Amino acid sequence: MGSNVDPLVVGGVIGEVVDLFVPTTMMDVNFGTKHVHNGCDIKPSLATDPPFVQIGGRPCHLFTLVMTDPDAPSPSEPSMRECLHWLVINIPGGTGPIQGDEVISYVGPKPPLGIHRYTLVLFQQKSRLSTTSIELPPRTRETRAEFNTRNFADQHDLGMPVAAVYFNSHKEPNRRRH
């Protein structure tokens, strides 16, 4: 009899980015008409704009969304792990990031080499966060590199994630001009 293994475990998101958790909030992510599910492929050209993210919960609940690339600059040598692609706080339940406070603006996938994983991790906040109180390492502020989702959650008392999803992306071939 086969067993179901969590795709976040198989993809290494649990272990490398976050610890094992039980999802408790719905999070639906789409790039245009392409629905994001764990391990799917998203072309960088499809993800130049932020995804449409719908979060469950009540409007009185506030959430933080973190998007990172744990494979930067290359999956075999992720020395910039994790590269921060998007950080939004104070997202009311039942809405999406556009309703929250963007701390780090969205940057789409641009993998230089290999197949990269891009993670979107959702945390439920215990209280409203101030954008001025968000602490990021200096290198993260300057280059988006060396972010750590676990440390960020600990520093801001976010607890365990309530939802997460990841997708894969790789460099698209250059189009030839005729």
Side-chain angles (χ1 to χ4, degrees):
M1 189 180 242
S3 64
N4 287 338
V5 179
D6 188 321
L8 293 170
V9 172
V10 173
V13 174
I14 290 178
E16 292 177 38
V17 179
V18 294
D19 294 323
L20 186 61
F21 71 97
V22 176
T24 57
T25 302
M26 181 280 302
M27 179 173 69
D28 192 48
V29 180
N30 292 280
F31 285 101
T33 59
K34 176 80 172 175
H35 176 71
V36 176
H37 59 277
N38 287 318
C40 73
D41 291 320
I42 301 286
K43 292 179 180 179
S45 59
L46 185 64
T48 56
D49 294 326
F52 176 77
V53 180
Q54 183 66 38
I55 296 167
R58 297 179 170 170
C60 61
H61 297 155
L62 295 175
F63 296 90
T64 292
L65 179 67
V66 176
M67 180 178 168
T68 66
D69 172 0
D71 298 320
S74 76
S76 60
E77 290 190 32
S79 60
M80 295 171 68
R81 176 179 289 165
E82 298 163 50
C83 186
L84 183 60
H85 280 256
W86 201 19
L87 177 58
V88 185
I89 62 172
N90 301 324
I91 305 166
T95 67
I98 199 160
Q99 304 298 321
D101 299 321
E102 191 175 64
V103 177
I104 298 293
S105 61
Y106 176 82
V107 172
K110 293 180 183 153
L113 184 66
I115 298 171
H116 288 235
R117 296 166 295 164
Y118 292 86
T119 66
L120 290 103
V121 181
L122 186 69
F123 296 92
Q124 185 170 344
Q125 299 170 200
K126 293 181 173 80
S127 61
R128 184 169 215 46
L129 297 174
S130 164
T131 55
T132 58
S133 72
I134 298 299
E135 295 179 28
L136 296 173
R139 186 153 154 85
T140 299
R141 280 260 183 225
E142 295 166 12
T143 66
R144 297 178 181 250
E146 298 176 4
F147 182 80
N148 185 296
T149 299
R150 278 190 194 93
N151 290 348
F152 179 81
D154 288 345
Q155 287 173 335
H156 297 91
D157 196 26
L158 297 174
M160 296 301 285
V162 295
V165 67
Y166 83 98
F167 63 91
N168 296 313
S169 195
H170 57 86
K171 186 174 184 172
E172 293 179 88
N174 292 335
R175 290 194 165 83
R176 289 186 174 174
R177 294 184 182 186
H178 289 76

